[in-house]
Amino acid sequence: MRIEVLFPEYCSLFGDLFNVKYLQACLPGAERVDVSLREEPELSGGGLVYMGPMSERTQEKVIKKLMPYKKRIGELIDSGTAFLLTGNALEVLGSHIIREDGSRLEGLGLLPVYAKQDIMHRHNSVFLGDWNGAEVTGFKSQFTMAWPTEGAKGLFTVKKGVGLNKKCPYEGLRVNNLFATYLQGPVLPLNPCFARGLLEAMGAHGAELAFGGAAQEAYKARVADFYSKVR
């Protein structure tokens, strides 16, 4: 089992690399491969490819770096390789990003979504949603909102909070075993139900969650707290 982490020296805002550390705790035999922005990604398939949130300037560098691998990434998505994209990493694989001055930054075009920047107004909120009948909690902090296009399939149904944009009924995107979400926190240790689903998508059938009892109790308390506070 391989966990390929793309550009962790830049794509690691909000402590989201703890998603990877949690997976390593769940899968102690897994091989973690960190790929620097100065290196070439392996994209060998199997296991998981992870990319976390980054600055807007870094997005341009990451898109430029990954563009020669667009076909390969598309093949991996189509074949069912697991991907986890958190924060604004999903925008890299989207159609394009509309900058605040109206110019466009073209993405890889592999996800049916585009984003709009609003650098002067950061959106911060908490989120409560549904994942296959179970609650998901998380936090959002972003300068963009996203608009899904034809064929998009949401990841989490909104119960309380904001989806891909303020009118969208769902948060994140799913394509085969690719899971993309703006939720930060990090999302896996906060949501055992979603962590189990990702492990299954990775092919780690029957893997036990690290700190399972404590994680479940903390999850229950957090869901109850979110119901009381999220509007």
Side-chain angles (χ1 to χ4, degrees):
M1 182 71 65
R2 292 168 57 84
I3 301 173
E4 183 171 355
V5 184
L6 297 180
F7 322 129
E9 75 274 32
Y10 291 104
C11 304
S12 58
L13 301 181
F14 309 105
D16 272 26
L17 278 181
F18 276 93
N19 286 308
V20 176
K21 292 183 178 181
Y22 187 68
L23 288 175
Q24 288 180 279
C26 296
L27 302 168
E31 177 190 10
R32 173 174 167 173
V33 179
D34 286 3
V35 179
S36 166
L37 194 59
R38 296 183 298 273
E39 300 172 336
E40 302 305 316
E42 296 186 5
L43 301 171
S44 58
L48 176 75
V49 178
Y50 174 78
M51 186 162 62
M54 66 201 80
S55 70
E56 286 69 30
R57 182 174 296 180
T58 297
Q59 279 183 314
E60 297 188 35
K61 296 177 181 178
V62 169
I63 290 171
K64 182 178 180 180
K65 183 72 175 185
L66 291 179
M67 192 61 75
Y69 300 93
K70 172 180 175 178
K71 181 179 179 182
R72 175 57 179 164
I73 295 171
E75 290 172 347
L76 292 177
I77 295 170
D78 291 342
S79 67
T81 293
F83 283 73
L84 177 61
L85 310 175
T86 60
N88 61 0
L90 70 85
E91 297 171 9
V92 170
L93 271 67
S95 170
H96 60 277
I97 301 167
I98 302 176
R99 299 185 181 97
E100 200 162 33
D101 63 4
S103 63
R104 284 170 51 128
L105 172 62
E106 299 298 327
L108 270 64
L110 296 172
L111 294 180
V113 68
Y114 69 93
K116 293 182 180 180
Q117 292 181 354
D118 187 0
I119 300 299
M120 298 303 295
H121 302 92
R122 179 186 287 276
H123 171 83
N124 295 294
S125 66
V126 292
F127 175 85
L128 180 68
D130 177 89
W131 159 262
N132 293 337
E135 281 91 358
V136 168
T137 66
F139 307 90
K140 308 187 80 173
S141 183
Q142 58 201 77
F143 287 116
T144 51
M145 290 285 173
W147 276 259
T149 55
E150 185 177 358
K153 179 181 179 182
L155 182 59
F156 306 128
T157 303
V158 175
K159 285 191 171 184
K160 295 185 178 184
V162 174
L164 285 175
N165 59 67
K166 293 181 178 180
K167 294 184 178 181
C168 186
Y170 56 81
E171 204 290 317
L173 294 170
R174 179 170 184 179
V175 180
N176 297 330
N177 286 327
L178 180 147
F179 305 88
T181 175
Y182 278 105
L183 296 188
Q184 302 152 357
V187 67
L188 294 183
L190 295 179
N191 297 283
C193 55
F194 180 53
R196 288 192 186 94
L198 180 63
L199 286 167
E200 288 291 321
M202 293 171 62
H205 307 295
E208 294 188 8
L209 292 180
F211 320 109
Q216 191 65 32
E217 289 303 313
Y219 163 75
K220 290 179 181 178
R222 190 163 42 254
V223 169
D225 187 55
F226 271 49
Y227 266 112
S228 69
K229 293 182 178 179
V230 180
R231 292 178 174 83

